């Protein structure tokens, strides 16, 4: 534990050590954090066209100490390059499936879906679909309540293997959403080849729908494209009433953002949204 404390200080002092050492220290700390179950889920609510709660996105945080909550931007990359993303990803999925099983027994959370972010590294593992099947069976979570969010990087390499793996997961009932849509460099042809249920419109477009004609045209085009391909649309990063109004007017299916609800700890999410509505 003392060593870990030293590593923490070193990591936050960029002038003192080579990046390679910092990376190694971070990997070691991540490993310890995993063993100590320090990775926790935050949930951000998602709302349907009529304003009703339809689900949540699980966003991982590293509870490194009582007062130290580390954002995923600071460790997901290191977990990927350090070979830890599979273990971390399974930890997140397991917590997510337990949540889904709990929600199924709570009157006001019953129908909710949970979206879990998946790194492309996880999908490269041929055993991943079986691991998900095992997890669903062990927790009792319904597969069709689980959405896996992938980024366009899945399209970059060996797509045939990945499509096959996605089909296996689809066979279990699991859904897929394509995250940060429009920011990658993928060919649109892939959209038809992959078993996707939804496109998530990236925040960089949503941010400007109310004031930039290019952004609003792009969002309109994404919604139209999704409709043609029978995919749902989810807007992320909705912060302003004007953005929500635009998205609603143009038929975006699901909305997520600080305007509607920030990510909160899982127990807080259940407490806040699981209550019967005030009459
Ligand atoms: P993402 O999947 O695009 O997640 C959305 C991010 O935008 C989250 O940041 C969320 O807190 C933030 N956000 C939501 N609404 C708003 C808004 O209205 N305005 C602004 N400015 N931001 C908003 P977070 O939680 O820091 O996550 C960052 C990224 O880390 C995620 O981006 C995702 O790529 C990755 N990540 C999070 N959890 C996991 C995980 O369990 N596994 C993997 N592989 N990656 C994860
Ligand atoms: Ca996401
Ligand atoms: Ca996203
Ligand atoms: Ca994004």
């Amino acid at each position: 534990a003392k060593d870990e404390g030293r590593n923490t200080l070193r990591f936050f002092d960029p002038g003192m050590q080579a990046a390679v050492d910092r990376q190694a220290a971070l990997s070691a700390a991540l490993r310890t954090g995993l063993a100590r179950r320090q990775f926790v889920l935050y949930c951000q609510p998602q709302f349907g066209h009529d304003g009703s709660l339809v689900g949540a996105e699980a966003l991982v945080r590293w509870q490194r100490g009582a007062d130290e909550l580390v954002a995923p931007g600071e460790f997901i990359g290191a977990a990927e390059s350090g070979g830890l993303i599979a273990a971390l990803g399974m930890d997140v999925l397991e917590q997510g499936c337990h949540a889904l099983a709990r929600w199924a027994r709570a009157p006001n959370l019953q129908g909710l879906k949970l979206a879990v972010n998946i790194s492309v590294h996880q999908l490269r593992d041929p055993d991943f679909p079986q691991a998900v099947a095992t997890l669903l069976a062990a927790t009792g979570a319904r597969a069709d309540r689980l959405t896996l969010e992938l980024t366009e990087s899945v399209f970059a390499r060996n797509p045939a293997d990945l499509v096959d793996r996605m089909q296996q997961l689809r066979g279990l009932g699991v859904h897929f959403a394509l995250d940060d849509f429009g920011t990658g460099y993928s060919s649109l042809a892939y959209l038809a080849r992959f078993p996707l249920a939804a496109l998530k419109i990236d925040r960089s477009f949503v941010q400007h729908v109310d004031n930039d004609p290019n952004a609003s045209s792009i969002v309109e085009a994404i919604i139209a494209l999704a409709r043609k391909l029978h995919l749902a649309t989810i807007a992320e990063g909705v912060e302003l009433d004007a953005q929500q109004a635009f998205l609603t007017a143009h038929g975006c299916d699901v909305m997520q953002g600080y305007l509607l609800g920030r990510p909160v700890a899982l127990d807080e999410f259940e407490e806040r949204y699981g209550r019967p509505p005030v009459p």
Side-chain angles (χ1 to χ4, degrees):
K2 274 178 188 152
D3 282 342
E4 197 200 337
R6 270 212 307 273
N7 287 340
T8 308
L9 290 174
R10 281 184 200 168
F11 176 65
F12 290 110
D13 189 356
M16 295 289 283
Q17 257 184 317
V20 164
D21 285 356
R22 285 207 309 273
Q23 184 68 29
L26 183 54
S27 283
L30 282 168
R31 219 174 284 276
T32 311
L34 264 172
R36 294 186 185 159
R37 320 231 73 191
Q38 289 176 343
F39 294 91
V40 297
L41 295 196
Y42 271 52
C43 278
Q44 184 173 30
Q46 299 178 325
F47 297 90
H49 208 256
D50 62 354
S52 62
L53 181 70
V54 294
E57 179 176 4
L59 295 155
V60 68
R61 306 283 181 259
W62 184 5
Q63 186 79 61
R64 228 183 148 170
D67 302 313
E68 197 188 359
L69 197 64
V70 186
E74 306 217 16
F75 59 84
I76 293 292
E80 284 178 338
S81 55
L84 288 168
I85 195 66
L88 176 58
M90 282 316 281
D91 187 337
V92 168
L93 259 178
E94 185 177 355
Q95 294 185 51
C97 287
H98 279 298
L100 276 176
R102 242 185 349 264
W103 295 356
R105 296 188 300 265
N108 290 296
L109 300 172
Q110 228 156 41
L112 299 189
K113 297 183 99 182
L114 184 68
V116 175
N117 293 283
I118 291 294
S119 160
V120 66
H121 296 269
Q122 291 174 265
L123 209 57
R124 290 215 184 98
D125 175 1
D127 297 329
F128 182 64
Q130 183 54 53
V132 173
T134 304
L135 210 50
L136 288 165
T139 57
R142 270 177 62 159
D144 64 353
R145 298 280 197 261
L146 179 66
T147 300
L148 301 181
E149 291 193 5
L150 289 160
T151 62
E152 287 167 89
S153 57
V154 288
F155 300 148
R157 236 174 47 186
N158 273 343
D161 283 1
L162 298 188
V163 172
D164 187 62
R165 232 150 269 156
M166 286 172 75
Q167 297 289 9
Q168 288 179 53
L169 286 156
R170 210 27 232 123
L172 298 173
V174 172
H175 297 284
F176 288 96
L178 192 55
D179 207 354
D180 302 335
F181 182 69
T183 61
Y185 42 83
S186 65
S187 147
L188 289 179
Y190 282 130
L191 286 183
R193 253 183 85 191
F194 282 65
L196 298 169
L199 299 181
K200 284 194 87 168
I201 307 170
D202 191 63
R203 185 168 74 86
S204 58
F205 304 122
V206 171
Q207 221 172 4
H208 300 293
V209 278
D210 53 321
N211 57 31
D212 173 356
N214 289 323
S216 52
S217 299
I218 290 170
V219 169
E220 281 183 63
I222 293 174
I223 294 171
L225 174 69
R227 195 165 282 158
K228 290 272 184 203
L229 296 171
H230 305 290
L231 302 173
T233 42
I234 303 168
E236 65 173 29
V238 180
E239 293 183 350
L240 302 173
D241 286 321
Q243 295 162 355
Q244 184 185 26
F246 179 96
L247 291 158
T248 304
H250 289 85
C252 179
D253 299 302
V254 176
M255 274 173 253
Q256 178 183 351
Y258 292 170
L259 175 71
L260 305 158
R262 294 199 171 232
V264 292
L266 181 54
D267 54 355
E268 197 181 328
F269 180 89
E270 293 177 356
E271 165 84 9
R272 185 176 304 180
Y273 297 100
R275 285 197 182 161
V278 183

